[in-house]
Amino acid sequence: MNNKAGSPRLEFPGSQGDALAARLDLPDGDVRAYALFAHCFSCSKDVFAASRVSKALTASGIGVLRFDFTGLGQSEGDFSNTNFSSNIEDLVSAADFLRENYQAPRILVGHSLGGSAVLAATHRIASVRAVATIAAPADPQHVKELLRESVETIREQGFAEVQLGGRRFNIQEQFLTDVTGQPQAERIRNLGAALLVMHSPVDPVVSVDEAGKIFSLARHPKSFVALDGADHLLSRREDSEFAADMIGAWAGRYAFEDHQTPTEPETAGSSNGAQATSVAREPGIVTVEESGNGTFQQLITSGHHTMVADEPAPIGTDTGLSPYELLLAGLGACTSMTLRMYAQRKKLDLQKVSVRLAHSRIHADDCANCETTSGKIDHIERSITLTGNLTAEQRSRMLEIADRCPVHRTLESEISITSSLA
C-alpha cells in the first residue's frame, strides 16, 4: 500500500463515545505494516517516546497510529471516568479505525502502562502478529505505586486529586478497583503474538524486574532488549531512536507480509470487540482465521508455524496458496518425505525428490480404477522426479512407496469430518 508520507491529524470515536485525537505517521514509500502506539499513564501521543519512536519506525516502512486515550492530550472525555479497561477498549477502537480506513494493525507498541494495555488488548485484535513493550509493568496494578500517597484517601472518600508528571488528575476509586481485577498474567501467557520486551536496567519508575516477569510469563517467540542508560520516558533522542530501530528490525520477522516468520499464537480474537475464543495452537493443531487484509486472505497457524492462504485474482488478491493448492502441497510434502525416509532406510543413492501435482475434475467413466461410474470426480495428477543413481527396480519400488504416504492413504480412505461452533 502506498501512502503520502507525513503525520495527518485524525479523529475516531473512543470506547466511551468521545472523539479521540490521533496522528498517523507514514513512511515515504510503501507501508509494509501498520502499528498502534499506546502512550504511558497520564502522557499523550506527543510525548517524546511516542513521537520519536513512531517517526523512526516509518524508516522501516511501518505506518504508526498514535492517539490520546480518553480524557488525555487532545482527546475528548473525562479522565476521571476512565480506567485500564477503558484504555483497552480505546485500543480496540483504534484498531477498528485502522482496519476500516487503512489496514488492520499487525504491530502493537506500548510504553509504560500503555505497554500493559497492548498486552491486554492483543487477544482482542486478531490481525496482530507482533507486540513490543517499552518500560512496561508486568501487572497494571503497578500504577498504584505512583498513587501510593493517595490510595488511602481515594479509598476513604472515593476520589483524590493527584499530581503526575507535573499535572493534576482526579483519580476515582473505580480506577483502583478496575486495575486490581485484571487477569494480566493469563493474557501474557496466551498472548498469541511474537513479543519484544524492552526495558532500561536503571529505570527508576518501573523496575527492570517487571520486564523479567513479563518475559518469564510469555511463550516463544520472545526477545528482550536492554535500553542501557535510558530513563523511563526515553527522553534522550538516542534512546528512543535505538528502541525504534530495534522494533523495526525485529518486526520484519513477524509482521511484514513479505517476510512471514513462525509465531506461537495462543488465542484468536476479533478487533470488533467480540468475545475472544481460546484456541490451542500446538503442533498438529491447525487454526485458520481471517487476517483482515483483503477479502479472503487467511492466516494459518500450527504450533510455531505461520503461513498465508488466499484466492487467486480476480476473486482474491493472490497473496498465498489457494485451499486446493494447500491440499496438493500437503500430499506433495508427504510424498517427498516418505520417499526420503525409505531411501535412508534402504541406503539408496537418492539425491533429490521433486513432486509436481495438479487438481482437476474429470468424468468418472475416464477413471479406470474408480468405483464411481457416473458424474464427475476429483482427480489429482502426481508426477514424481527422482534424482540419483537408482536402478529401474528401485525406481519402480519407490513409486509403490509413494502411494503409501499417510496423506495419500487419508485422501483415498473414508474420511469423517465433524464440525462444531467454538
Side-chain angles (χ1 to χ4, degrees):
M1 181 181 295
N2 194 289
N3 289 277
K4 185 179 179 180
S7 300
R9 295 173 180 266
L10 303 167
E11 278 190 355
F12 61 90
S15 60
Q16 300 181 5
D18 302 295
L20 303 189
R23 287 182 181 273
L24 182 61
D25 296 310
L26 294 170
D28 291 329
D30 291 341
V31 179
R32 302 179 70 188
Y34 279 89
L36 278 176
F37 190 105
H39 61 69
C40 57
F41 183 56
S42 79
C43 296
S44 77
K45 67 182 182 303
D46 297 314
V47 70
F48 282 145
S51 60
R52 289 174 178 169
V53 169
S54 296
K55 289 179 179 178
L57 285 175
T58 63
S60 297
I62 299 172
V64 185
L65 181 72
R66 47 190 169 103
F67 68 97
D68 293 327
F69 286 110
T70 300
L72 291 173
Q74 297 173 318
S75 288
E76 296 178 354
D78 185 350
F79 176 79
S80 65
N81 291 330
T82 67
N83 49 42
F84 187 71
S85 292
S86 70
N87 286 349
I88 298 171
E89 296 297 333
D90 282 349
L91 274 167
V92 173
S93 296
D96 286 341
F97 173 80
L98 268 182
R99 176 173 51 81
E100 292 166 4
N101 294 278
Y102 297 90
Q103 191 180 89
R106 302 179 68 82
I107 308 165
L108 297 183
V109 182
H111 178 213
S112 193
L113 192 63
S116 299
V118 299
L119 290 171
T122 298
H123 77 286
R124 298 280 303 280
I125 307 172
S127 58
V128 173
R129 291 294 167 263
V131 178
T133 64
I134 303 170
D139 193 308
Q141 289 192 74
H142 185 275
V143 75
K144 290 182 181 179
E145 290 296 313
L146 300 176
L147 308 173
R148 58 183 175 272
E149 296 180 0
S150 304
V151 168
E152 186 175 344
T153 302
I154 295 172
R155 295 296 189 195
E156 289 177 354
Q157 65 182 30
F159 70 94
E161 193 173 70
V162 301
Q163 184 165 327
L164 298 169
R167 299 175 58 198
R168 301 198 69 81
F169 296 91
N170 189 341
I171 303 294
Q172 296 190 23
E173 186 175 9
Q174 60 86 17
F175 180 93
L176 298 182
T177 302
D178 177 80
V179 83
T180 302
Q182 300 292 331
Q184 195 73 352
E186 183 67 17
R187 290 164 172 164
I188 296 172
R189 289 191 194 98
N190 298 317
L191 189 64
L195 175 64
L196 173 63
V197 180
M198 311 184 79
H199 214 111
S200 169
V202 295
D203 189 332
V205 179
V206 179
S207 169
V208 71
D209 293 341
E210 295 295 303
K213 294 175 185 177
I214 295 173
F215 194 82
S216 177
L217 285 168
R219 299 176 180 177
H220 286 290
K222 57 183 177 179
S223 304
F224 177 81
V225 172
L227 302 175
D228 193 25
D231 60 23
H232 182 69
L233 294 177
L234 302 189
S235 53
R236 292 191 308 178
R237 180 180 295 275
E238 56 264 38
D239 293 329
S240 55
E241 290 182 349
F242 173 76
D245 289 343
M246 292 296 101
I247 296 170
W250 165 84
R253 288 186 60 84
Y254 304 101
F256 294 163
E257 290 185 19
D258 54 352
H259 192 163
Q260 292 293 325
T261 298
T263 62
E264 185 184 27
E266 294 296 329
T267 59
S270 170
S271 61
N272 62 10
Q275 180 67 34
T277 301
S278 294
V279 180
R281 297 193 177 179
E282 304 167 356
I285 303 297
V286 176
T287 61
V288 181
E289 61 187 9
E290 292 181 320
S291 68
N293 297 322
T295 304
F296 295 108
Q297 190 189 76
Q298 309 291 315
L299 290 171
I300 304 171
T301 306
S302 180
H304 298 278
H305 309 289
T306 301
M307 65 184 300
V308 174
D310 202 347
E311 288 286 356
I315 298 174
T317 51
D318 200 24
T319 57
L321 299 179
S322 71
Y324 273 107
E325 288 169 338
L326 288 168
L327 178 68
L328 295 179
L331 175 59
C334 182
T335 301
S336 182
M337 292 176 185
T338 299
L339 292 175
R340 174 56 60 191
M341 291 177 187
Y342 177 80
Q344 288 179 335
R345 188 169 66 252
K346 295 297 184 179
K347 294 182 171 53
L348 302 180
D349 182 21
L350 177 64
Q351 298 171 15
K352 183 179 179 180
V353 180
S354 176
V355 185
R356 184 181 185 277
L357 304 103
H359 169 263
S360 63
R361 295 277 292 173
I362 64 172
H363 290 284
D365 54 12
D366 290 333
C367 178
N369 302 317
C370 296
E371 295 181 3
T372 303
T373 57
S374 61
K376 287 190 173 183
I377 61 171
D378 288 281
H379 175 68
I380 295 176
E381 182 176 348
R382 178 176 56 179
S383 175
I384 304 169
T385 300
L386 304 175
T387 303
N389 186 21
L390 302 169
T391 66
E393 182 180 357
Q394 288 171 335
R395 289 177 180 273
S396 177
R397 178 58 177 163
M398 293 191 78
L399 182 59
E400 295 177 9
I401 295 299
D403 287 343
R404 296 183 184 181
C405 96
V407 172
H408 183 114
R409 289 182 170 181
T410 297
L411 290 174
E412 288 197 328
S413 67
E414 182 178 357
I415 301 175
S416 172
I417 300 175
T418 58
S419 301
S420 62
L421 292 175

